[in-house]
Amino acid sequence: MTLYTATEEEQNLLIVPARYRGRWVMAAVVVLGVALMAYGMVTNQRFQWGTVGEYLFAAPVLAGLGNTLMLTAVSMAIGIVLGIAVAVCRLSPNPILSSAAWAYSWFFRGTPLMVQLLFWFFMAALVPKLVLGVPFGPSFFEISTNTLISPFTAAILGLSLNEGAYMGEIVRSGIRAIPVGQTEAAKAMGMTRLQTMRRVILPQAMRVIIPPTGNETIGMLKYTSLVIVIGYSELLTSVSIIYSRTFQTIPLLIVAALWYLAVTAVLSVGQYYVERHFERGFTPMKAAKALPKTAANVLLKAGLPPASSASLAMPSGSAEELEKVK
């Protein structure tokens, strides 16, 4: 094999994209389907859009939405902290810590979230009182479990502990994505394990951790609807109380769905900007995206050096054969 160097004229040849008529046909079918669905939703009187507009900004619905946002924020904050701790313990050389972290992830990922919520809510059936004192001696403090674990407390415990198990796996995968050489270099500089994790590993791992964490946050927003089983008044519970009184089930469910969609859209935009922030320095040759679509620039966008973009592998042969190829 010999190298054939393309001429300057050949390097500047414009690349014409192929025309895919099937894609336009499928796009037309999708647009038509969406238009028909929209027409059906607008013209079908059973959707009761007037009732939807009436309850969309009703005080009970907005109060439930506020509780949903609070549950999402608090549970995700606790879940992220727990996830980092679980991930660090899973990667610890200490077998006791790593085994305990594995058991935590196994248990909370292996049982349904609704079961966990119900378990925490009915904890008083198992432990009627929480007592602090000396074993077989006097107690210094005791409190009824029913008083301590309200529906809100049970919701936070169930959601955050369950989320901590999933976040532990997400953080662990992000940490393992960082080359081992980073840790070795930090050790050579005299950093402790905690300093290495906080200053070297986690900042780089955020690029891998952020996308699934954003997905988990959006998922948490929807998981909060499960606390309806323990009677906490979040968004779905609020609309269910209204439609159980007015029997307008579909319009009220549409109200809840619209609010979930709106908050999800805001979270998705926030996730996009956070991802873009942590992607800085990892996206190669961003400036190449603005270059003209020539043969040399296409290879340049692929990350090849300029010298390679002008060299193509050609079969070996005489100079006359190479001239014919040219």
Side-chain angles (χ1 to χ4, degrees):
M1 298 289 289
T2 60
L3 288 178
Y4 165 66
T5 302
T7 64
E8 182 178 353
E9 180 181 357
E10 291 171 338
Q11 293 183 47
N12 293 325
L13 288 175
L14 289 176
I15 297 177
V16 179
R19 292 180 174 85
Y20 300 98
R21 294 180 177 84
R23 295 180 182 178
W24 290 105
V25 173
M26 290 302 300
V29 172
V30 170
V31 170
L32 179 61
V34 172
L36 290 175
M37 290 177 59
Y39 177 79
M41 292 176 64
V42 172
T43 56
N44 190 342
Q45 299 299 323
R46 293 182 177 87
F47 279 99
Q48 303 180 42
W49 293 109
T51 305
V52 172
E54 178 185 352
Y55 286 102
L56 188 60
F57 296 99
V61 174
L62 294 180
L65 175 63
N67 290 337
T68 292
L69 296 177
M70 180 174 60
L71 278 179
T72 303
V74 174
S75 299
M76 277 305 301
I78 298 175
I80 289 172
V81 173
L82 284 175
I84 294 174
V86 169
V88 172
C89 290
R90 282 289 304 273
L91 298 172
S92 173
N94 188 320
I96 297 177
L97 289 178
S98 60
S99 299
W102 177 87
Y104 171 86
S105 298
W106 169 76
F107 179 81
F108 284 98
R109 289 196 303 155
T111 54
L113 177 56
M114 186 176 291
V115 173
Q116 297 174 31
L117 290 169
L118 290 170
F119 180 85
W120 288 112
F121 185 65
F122 293 110
M123 176 63 74
L126 183 65
V127 183
K129 291 183 179 180
L130 296 177
V131 180
L132 178 64
V134 179
F136 307 106
S139 60
F140 306 111
F141 174 79
E142 68 178 47
I143 186 173
S144 171
T145 305
N146 273 330
T147 303
L148 181 64
I149 301 183
S150 62
F152 174 75
T153 308
I156 292 295
L157 286 171
L159 293 172
S160 59
L161 291 175
N162 182 78
E163 185 60 35
Y166 287 95
M167 282 302 304
E169 295 303 306
I170 291 173
V171 175
R172 186 171 69 94
S173 65
I175 292 174
R176 292 176 67 91
I178 306 303
V180 181
Q182 299 285 329
T183 304
E184 295 174 348
K187 289 181 178 178
M189 295 176 62
M191 288 187 178
T192 63
R193 177 179 171 82
L194 183 59
Q195 289 175 329
T196 301
M197 190 64 64
R198 183 168 57 90
R199 297 182 180 180
V200 179
I201 303 301
L202 283 180
Q204 297 182 72
M206 291 300 289
R207 181 175 61 93
V208 180
I209 294 172
I210 288 297
T213 301
N215 296 337
E216 287 293 313
T217 303
I218 294 173
M220 177 62 72
L221 173 71
K222 294 176 289 185
Y223 294 152
T224 56
S225 62
L226 294 177
V227 303
I228 190 174
V229 299
I230 60 176
Y232 184 72
S233 182
E234 44 75 56
L235 179 58
L236 185 60
T237 307
S238 299
V239 299
S240 67
I241 292 173
I242 297 174
Y243 72 62
S244 65
R245 185 179 69 251
T246 63
F247 301 103
Q248 295 172 318
T249 306
I250 296 300
L252 269 300
L253 290 178
I254 292 175
V255 168
L258 289 176
W259 277 118
Y260 282 123
L261 288 172
V263 178
T264 298
V266 174
L267 292 176
S268 299
V269 172
Q271 177 183 351
Y272 167 77
Y273 283 104
V274 173
E275 286 183 18
R276 192 173 70 170
H277 172 76
F278 284 99
E279 283 285 346
R280 292 182 306 175
F282 290 95
T283 304
M285 309 189 70
K286 288 184 178 179
K289 295 181 179 179
L291 295 175
K293 194 174 270 189
T294 62
N297 290 336
V298 167
L299 294 177
L300 185 63
K301 292 177 185 179
L304 298 176
S308 298
S309 64
S311 299
L312 303 174
M314 297 294 295
S316 60
S318 61
E320 292 81 3
E321 291 175 337
L322 292 178
E323 280 298 321
K324 291 179 182 179
V325 174
K326 295 171 68 176

